[in-house]
Amino acid sequence: FKTMSENKLLSSSITALGEDLVATIQNSFFCVVGCGGVGANFAEMLVRTGATKISLIDGDFVEEKNLNRVFSFCQKDVNHYKVKVLAKKLKAINPNLQINHDQWNLRDSNRCIEENNKKQNENVISIIKNFDVVLIAVDKNETRIQIENICKKAQNKWFSIGVEVEKEKINLSMYLET
């Protein structure tokens, strides 16, 4: 068993963040909800920084359109579940990683929650409350708000790191003119 300072995977993280913060990361159980462009990359950085316990939740498949922004995905991953592909990549980085993954699409669960389905709401809360930190990286604002509300009920710490972009508010052509 290597001490933290002997672990080469963590040496740069320890130098940058300090042993105390890296130890906190190592001892925390993270949940990443949404394994697309933001969530997958954040999960990878967590593992590279020392996270040893992580759970991934996403019900979507890798699509070609994901390949331009998700470093963990490549052409051979298209039509495979994002969480399975990402879990394999994260295990390749740290074989000792404890990882769970669920092909669960929270958009479907949110419909049940919005319809006041108490049992579904309790199921989602019971899953979410098992984590020390929940990283919400979904692409729909309504879904993010629902998960934040679940985290509040479960009394979790969470970060909302997903981004919703409204096309009509952005005019990139003005930035691209030569």
Side-chain angles (χ1 to χ4, degrees):
F1 181 75
K2 295 180 183 178
T3 65
M4 192 183 319
S5 58
E6 293 173 328
N7 186 333
K8 294 198 186 299
L9 178 66
L10 299 180
S11 62
S12 294
S13 296
I14 292 168
T15 300
L17 304 173
E19 266 194 50
D20 290 343
L21 183 53
V22 172
T24 299
I25 292 167
Q26 279 188 307
N27 295 318
S28 297
F29 192 2
F30 294 92
C31 177
V32 177
V33 182
C35 296
V38 175
N41 295 331
F42 204 93
E44 185 172 332
M45 291 311 302
L46 278 171
V47 171
R48 291 181 185 280
T49 306
T52 58
K53 294 177 284 202
I54 194 166
S55 187
L56 308 171
I57 299 175
D58 195 310
D60 290 336
F61 293 90
V62 176
E63 298 176 63
E64 276 196 57
K65 70 180 186 178
N66 303 132
L67 302 180
N68 71 327
R69 66 185 189 283
V70 186
F71 304 127
S72 300
F73 302 154
C74 58
Q75 191 66 47
K76 70 177 177 55
D77 301 324
V78 172
N79 297 321
H80 296 282
Y81 279 111
K82 288 179 180 178
V83 292
K84 286 186 176 187
V85 172
L86 183 58
K88 186 176 178 180
K89 168 83 181 259
L90 298 177
K91 270 300 242 190
I93 295 167
N94 180 359
N96 297 319
L97 180 67
Q98 296 172 32
I99 190 163
N100 301 317
H101 52 82
D102 293 304
Q103 294 88 235
W104 185 34
N105 196 326
L106 285 169
R107 285 181 293 245
D108 299 334
S109 300
N110 287 340
R111 275 193 218 88
C112 295
I113 293 167
E114 289 167 359
E115 294 168 6
N116 296 318
N117 183 330
K118 188 175 179 182
K119 184 177 180 191
Q120 179 67 39
N121 198 353
E122 288 171 2
N123 287 342
V124 174
I125 291 170
S126 71
I127 292 168
I128 295 291
K129 74 179 181 181
N130 292 320
F131 305 105
D132 297 313
V133 180
V134 178
L135 302 160
I136 306 167
V138 296
D139 55 3
K140 295 290 180 217
N141 199 41
E142 313 81 60
T143 306
R144 184 174 29 245
I145 290 168
Q146 288 286 352
I147 299 166
E148 287 174 357
N149 288 334
I150 291 167
C151 288
K152 287 176 191 173
K153 288 178 188 170
Q155 299 180 340
N156 283 84
K157 295 176 187 171
W158 78 88
F159 295 106
S160 286
I161 55 177
V163 177
E164 182 178 63
V165 177
E166 295 181 34
K167 292 178 189 175
E168 56 274 359
K169 290 187 178 180
I170 297 177
N171 181 359
L172 292 178
S173 62
M174 68 184 195
Y175 297 106
L176 300 175
E177 292 176 1
T178 54

